[in-house]
Amino acid sequence: MSAQVLPRTELEARQQLSALYRLCHLYGWTDLTSTHISTRIPGRDDAYLMNAHDELFDEITASSLCEIGFDGQMRTPGRVLNQAGHEIHSAVLKARPEVNFVLHSHTRAGVAVSAMPQGLLPISQHSGFVLGTLATHPFQDSTVVADEGVALAADLGANYTMLLQNHGLLAVGRTAAEVFMYHYHLEASCKILADVLGAVQNPILIPDAALDPLLAWGAPENGPHGGHIWPALLRRLEREQPGYDQ
């Protein structure tokens, strides 16, 4: 399936979303069952797909993903709703009609950088891919603060990546490939920054003139991104995570 063609059926949406979950497992972006990825259901505006709160990412298949109403009702019988996930994903999908995939993680490096006062610094090529479309949002518990999801979506604005302070990372994409690539570069940037700041106090920053082409490379208007790598990622899944698309 072409990475730049949106899923046309619910089955295709399920297969692309389950691929993202398995890739998160392979790349070490998981936190037990506590993080989440969502996608729209083609032709529907009443519900979206997301994981249940009772399944590890390497167990998820296309058929095990849950249908969740935008009203917060779990429509897949016998499964556990991640309420925090619903608050975040439903709000972002409502606020960003051009976005079809939302990925939220609690990676060690992502949480570490989200707690740094200066945030993400331009010290790597990876950071240049995301800094031009990076937002921040202060920490709040989405299950106890009224309208937290709405506030998060407002802070995200038209950006495609976000540091959730003291919490983790968020990426959105028009395609599954794009949300993967934005999260990949954001997470890699955080790993590099955490490593460098553990060794030196004053890292070398990329000069503005050299940073500008990187920012242009990662700009959403020059996407959707990731089409060149997505087929290879799917081949890796077929070798290492067979059955994800069932």
Side-chain angles (χ1 to χ4, degrees), residues 29 236 243:
W29 300 341
R236 182 183 180 189

Side-chain angles (χ1 to χ4, degrees), residues 36 83-95 104 106 136-157 162-170:
H36 18 77
Q83 187 62 40
H86 168 70
E87 297 296 334
I88 292 171
H89 291 263
S90 62
V92 173
L93 289 171
K94 286 179 182 178
H104 169 51
H106 300 159
T136 60
H137 178 68
F139 180 81
Q140 297 187 105
D141 188 332
S142 59
T143 62
V144 300
V145 177
D147 296 327
E148 161 60 6
V150 174
L152 185 153
D155 283 344
L156 179 63
M162 175 179 266
L163 288 177
L164 282 65
Q165 292 177 343
N166 309 102
H167 188 173
L169 307 178
L170 185 96

